[in-house]
Amino acid sequence: MTQLRSLACPNCGASLPGAVPQNGVAACEFCGTSFRVAASPTPEPDLGDLILGADFRDAGVPGWALSTPENLEFKPGDPPELWARFPASSQIHPVIRTPAYFDNCDAGVTVRFVEGDTEYVSAGLEARGSDAGDYTFRISAQGTFQVAWHDKNDWGGTLLNWTAHPALKPGLGPANRLRILLRGEQIRVYLNGVLATSLRDSRFSGGTLRVMITPGKRKPAV
């Protein structure tokens, strides 16, 4: 069965119902313009060259600093994984971090919860972390996500409170991909390839990038 969907020509705007060719290129029957069709109805921005990656085959994780090695375990496999275990608390625990500062960044992490209470555990990324504060981006085992900030006094707030999103796979076991894109004041969050939110904030301009986990002792409010 071939699925039909309506396309719009980017040149003349004409509606072009029909099947998308396998090579992803469509032609407008009205103006003759050829154009590439995105594989997804909600395509992500293209990834550029990888500047820094975390290789979990190497326990040293070149290019990164391990925050608390005693709480970490490297798991071989395809792909290899880094498991982090911490006692139950509402504290945000760093797992790995960049030694140096970044301003604009395009960063992603695949999170898989393998044990713990699904009502509490969350994990994600901290960006632009410095003595002035940071932004945190977390997803939970409940299929929710949050965007927050913290200042130098460890007080903060939310840019987006815990929100359920259909792109997230809840529970223990499934893998979820979190991607953050920070350009100046613009903040975008992608969940499994889907744009989940786009915000603006000017509190922090640069800092370290960290992967972090919150074991949790309170249920995130949805």
Side-chain angles (χ1 to χ4, degrees), residues 189-212:
V189 179
Y190 293 84
L191 304 173
N192 291 325
V194 177
L195 178 61
T197 190
S198 181
L199 308 164
R200 287 190 177 273
D201 194 85
S202 59
R203 286 179 177 85
F204 312 113
S205 58
T208 59
L209 178 68
R210 301 198 297 184
V211 176
M212 46 77 171

Side-chain angles (χ1 to χ4, degrees), residues 3 8 11 28-29 77 80 96-97 119 132 174-175 183-184 212:
Q3 181 180 4
N11 183 49
C28 177
E29 61 185 84
I96 59 174
R97 64 174 176 83
E119 291 188 348
R183 293 175 178 168
M212 46 77 171

Side-chain angles (χ1 to χ4, degrees), residues 160-185:
L160 181 71
N161 206 351
W162 287 106
T163 302
H165 198 283
L168 288 173
K169 293 169 282 190
L172 301 180
N176 287 289
R177 184 71 178 175
L178 167 67
R179 180 185 175 192
I180 61 172
L181 188 60
L182 280 72
R183 293 175 178 168
E185 296 182 0

Side-chain angles (χ1 to χ4, degrees), residues 4-59:
L4 302 181
R5 60 174 175 169
S6 180
L7 304 175
C9 174
N11 183 49
C12 69
S15 179
L16 307 173
V20 178
Q22 290 186 352
N23 62 7
V25 176
C28 177
E29 61 185 84
F30 298 100
C31 70
T33 300
S34 296
F35 58 96
R36 183 169 297 278
V37 179
S40 166
T42 55
E44 295 181 79
D46 290 335
L47 292 171
D49 294 333
L50 179 64
I51 296 175
L52 177 64
D55 186 355
F56 295 145
R57 296 172 298 179
D58 187 332

Side-chain angles (χ1 to χ4, degrees), residues 92-172:
I92 293 177
H93 295 279
V95 178
I96 59 174
R97 64 174 176 83
T98 57
Y101 280 18
F102 293 89
D103 47 13
N104 297 338
C105 68
D106 184 348
V109 62
T110 299
V111 175
R112 190 166 68 89
F113 301 108
V114 295
E115 59 185 41
D117 194 327
T118 57
E119 291 188 348
Y120 302 135
V121 66
S122 63
L125 294 167
E126 174 196 89
R128 295 181 177 175
S130 69
D131 291 340
D134 59 61
Y135 294 112
T136 59
F137 307 84
R138 289 186 287 170
I139 58 178
S140 79
Q142 298 180 50
T144 61
F145 77 108
Q146 180 205 57
V147 181
W149 60 271
H150 301 85
D151 66 14
K152 61 182 178 181
N153 299 315
D154 203 27
W155 186 89
T158 56
L159 298 178
L160 181 71
N161 206 351
W162 287 106
T163 302
H165 198 283
L168 288 173
K169 293 169 282 190
L172 301 180

